[in-house]
Amino acid sequence: MLSRAEIVALVALLACFLPNNTRAETEQHPPQPTVLFENVRIFDGKNDSLSAASNVLVSGNTIEKISTDPISIDGAGNVTIIEGGGRTLMPGLIDAHWHAMLVRPNPAQALASDVGYLNLLAGSEATATLMRGFTTIRDMGGPSFALKRAIDEGILPGPRIYPSGAMITITGGHGDFRQLSDLPRTVGGALSRVEQIGGSMIADSPDEVRLRVREQLMQGASQIKLTAGGGVASPFSPLDVTTFTEAELRAAVEAAENWGTYVSTHAYTPASIQRSIAAGVMCIEHGHLMDEETAKLMAEKGIWLSTQPFLDDDGDAGARQLGPAEQAKMKQVIAGTDNVYRLAKKYHLKTAFGTDIIFSATEAQQQGSRLASLSRWFTPAEALVMATSTNAELLALSGLRNPYPGKLGVVEEGALADLLLVDGNPLENLDLVSDPTRNFRLIMKDGKIYKNTF
Ligand SMILES: [Zn+2]
């Protein structure tokens, strides 16, 4: 039994390890840094045309005022004035399917490296991601909690991260990266390497699913990711298989809903998508092999489609590092890209844009050109709306578990100040987003300027 004094001491000790939000709130804040953009034409994330020449005042991390009239600011304090010269001011881009921890390493490095090394690779990549104009990413699997924390604390530049934590899979499913020599697994026995580092977790019953889901939620997951069917980058899961039972999926949905958030599933096929929907899943990742009936069901139920333009001509360097069987699966998925966008348009599905680039630093540099490749199916405005305000709507599905409450993906008064100043008009030339180094003259996240060529 602890004495009262011991309990008090213990509580004080624990408090030292908790985030110091409350302490920060009581400290005196210096005056908010202010940035005034003059003479910019705004793509607001929603409309398909630019505004008239406008001025935009950012105060702290918020867009405070937008006006076609001059905005006066008192000279006191920390003010930066950007003469926009008629350039386009638009919301920071959002990638709705990203793996912050899996972009830089190759598959062997991802599985065998020290987690410290993986975090440093991911940190470097996170900075590169922000410098491509992606101010927010939705992380769909991987141990990105520490990276997110370091970025949020200002230790290194990077995007806002909506972490899923470990993706949850079944034995043999997409995300089980073990070798056959690792079998059989002793029930309750040691975890595989990828589970130890929180990359994926294997669960084979509703109870195990609940445990693993709750572990991700405890670490701060903003949504939960399960793999409901086979995948490309995992050697033992054929694309056609449906993995979790409905009861297992339902256990995840229940645990996530109890925590105020939702489940998204990796699913290519009609069977895996339909089972996900029956279990209460709110968002489908990929969907490339879906059919008309499934698309209709998604539309009826208002299920989100978070999909990616996997294309043949993208120089899929990441895929080239996979074995021949996985490359064959990749081809099948690529062949479904036109199918999924055609159905998304036909049934007006709520469609988010993501890239799902993994295992390749060079391919990561094509993050913007993946967005530009949507021009095969969409107008520049449709593609840009998708990668900004629509993606932000999907992020908001995290409800009370949203790590960045506030409006993202739009340029409007009161929204969070994640902004790009672009040379040219991306609503006329979507290819501008393919070359961020050249065309994004200024990058701001949370009111802070990370790139400024003026
Ligand atoms: Zn993925």
Side-chain angles (χ1 to χ4, degrees):
M1 203 59 174
L2 291 175
S3 74
R4 201 191 156 95
E6 280 168 333
I7 290 169
V8 170
L10 190 62
V11 168
L13 181 68
L14 284 172
C16 296
F17 294 103
L18 292 172
N20 59 355
N21 295 342
T22 38
R23 228 182 305 155
E25 269 160 24
T26 54
E27 275 169 18
Q28 198 65 44
H29 285 294
Q32 302 257 56
T34 302
V35 179
L36 177 61
F37 294 93
E38 290 182 330
N39 187 22
V40 293
R41 300 191 65 196
I42 301 166
F43 162 58
D44 64 1
K46 291 181 167 171
N47 287 296
D48 60 6
S49 60
L50 298 182
S51 73
S54 303
N55 306 301
V56 176
L57 180 69
V58 172
S59 181
N61 71 348
T62 308
I63 299 169
E64 193 174 291
K65 191 168 183 190
I66 301 175
S67 176
T68 50
D69 296 327
I71 297 174
S72 60
I73 36 174
D74 59 30
N78 179 358
V79 183
T80 307
I81 294 178
I82 306 288
E83 175 41 57
R87 292 183 181 83
T88 306
L89 188 74
M90 62 172 281
L93 298 169
I94 301 170
D95 192 325
H97 192 124
W98 189 246
H99 298 272
M101 295 297 291
L102 299 176
V103 180
R104 279 280 178 95
N106 62 36
Q109 285 173 325
L111 288 175
S113 297
D114 181 281
V115 72
Y117 176 69
L118 294 176
N119 269 300
L120 290 166
L121 283 184
S124 174
E125 176 53 43
T127 302
T129 304
L130 179 61
M131 291 305 144
R132 290 192 291 268
F134 284 84
T135 49
T136 302
I137 62 104
R138 179 167 165 269
D139 194 284
M140 294 320 284
S144 62
F145 298 114
L147 175 68
K148 174 189 181 296
R149 177 180 170 182
I151 292 169
D152 291 347
E153 289 176 353
I155 292 167
L156 79 168
R160 300 176 192 270
I161 296 180
Y162 281 73
S164 304
M167 57 177 156
I168 297 163
T169 185
I170 63 158
T171 291
H174 181 56
D176 179 352
F177 294 104
R178 293 174 300 172
Q179 301 301 311
L180 290 177
S181 54
D182 295 325
L183 303 185
R185 175 176 178 143
T186 308
V187 174
L191 296 173
S192 64
R193 172 67 185 159
V194 72
E195 291 173 292
Q196 284 169 24
I197 64 173
S200 60
M201 295 304 297
I202 299 162
D204 286 302
S205 69
D207 285 343
E208 283 187 358
V209 168
R210 255 186 292 273
L211 168 66
R212 299 313 181 191
V213 168
R214 286 171 179 162
E215 284 175 348
Q216 309 318 308
L217 294 167
M218 181 176 173
Q219 293 173 86
S222 49
Q223 66 286 322
I224 291 296
K225 159 94 174 285
L226 273 77
T227 61
V232 171
S234 43
F236 300 105
S237 75
L239 274 184
D240 58 276
V241 301
T242 309
T243 51
F244 285 108
T245 64
E246 194 178 313
E248 287 164 340
L249 291 171
R250 204 182 287 283
V253 167
E254 200 178 22
E257 282 179 0
N258 288 343
W259 211 255
T261 185
Y262 69 98
V263 171
S264 200
T265 55
H266 158 111
Y268 286 114
T269 61
S272 58
I273 297 170
Q274 288 182 25
R275 187 177 293 174
S276 297
I277 294 171
V281 166
M282 305 280 281
C283 180
I284 300 298
E285 305 297 316
H286 313 309
H288 292 64
L289 307 178
M290 78 160 82
D291 56 12
E292 298 266 344
E293 185 197 337
T294 310
K296 231 180 272 179
L297 179 70
M298 286 183 72
E300 267 166 37
K301 303 257 180 188
I303 305 298
W304 277 87
L305 172 68
S306 162
T307 194
Q308 310 83 29
F310 295 140
L311 295 169
D312 243 340
D313 54 358
D314 271 332
D316 40 321
R320 271 201 295 278
Q321 303 195 51
L322 302 168
E326 288 85 68
Q327 289 200 35
K329 291 194 280 187
M330 189 73 208
K331 285 211 166 68
Q332 205 187 330
V333 168
I334 287 171
T337 300
D338 187 61
N339 174 60
V340 72
Y341 282 116
R342 197 179 47 77
L343 291 172
K345 286 186 75 169
K346 182 171 174 186
Y347 293 99
H348 305 287
L349 301 183
K350 293 191 282 190
T351 306
F353 161 78
T355 60
D356 199 16
I357 294 169
I358 49 170
F359 302 145
S360 170
T362 42
E363 212 174 325
Q365 290 167 18
Q366 299 171 7
Q367 196 175 12
S369 45
R370 293 293 176 87
L371 174 56
S373 76
L374 289 184
S375 63
R376 292 165 197 228
W377 302 277
F378 301 97
T379 65
E382 286 169 336
L384 290 169
V385 167
M386 200 188 289
T388 54
S389 66
T390 306
N391 273 2
E393 264 180 66
L394 172 58
L395 297 174
L397 217 58
S398 291
L400 292 173
R401 299 290 80 75
N402 183 345
Y404 310 104
K407 263 193 144 172
L408 288 172
V410 289
V411 181
E412 57 185 52
E413 290 179 0
L416 293 169
D418 290 5
L419 298 167
L420 309 176
L421 192 52
V422 187
D423 238 347
N425 180 359
L427 295 179
E428 277 167 7
N429 179 11
L430 186 57
D431 279 332
L432 291 174
V433 303
S434 301
D435 191 355
T437 308
R438 191 192 181 121
N439 300 321
F440 294 171
R441 299 289 302 275
L442 182 145
I443 296 172
M444 170 183 275
K445 189 197 86 177
D446 211 35
K448 195 171 159 202
I449 295 172
Y450 287 90
K451 174 182 176 182
N452 183 359
T453 63
F454 292 97

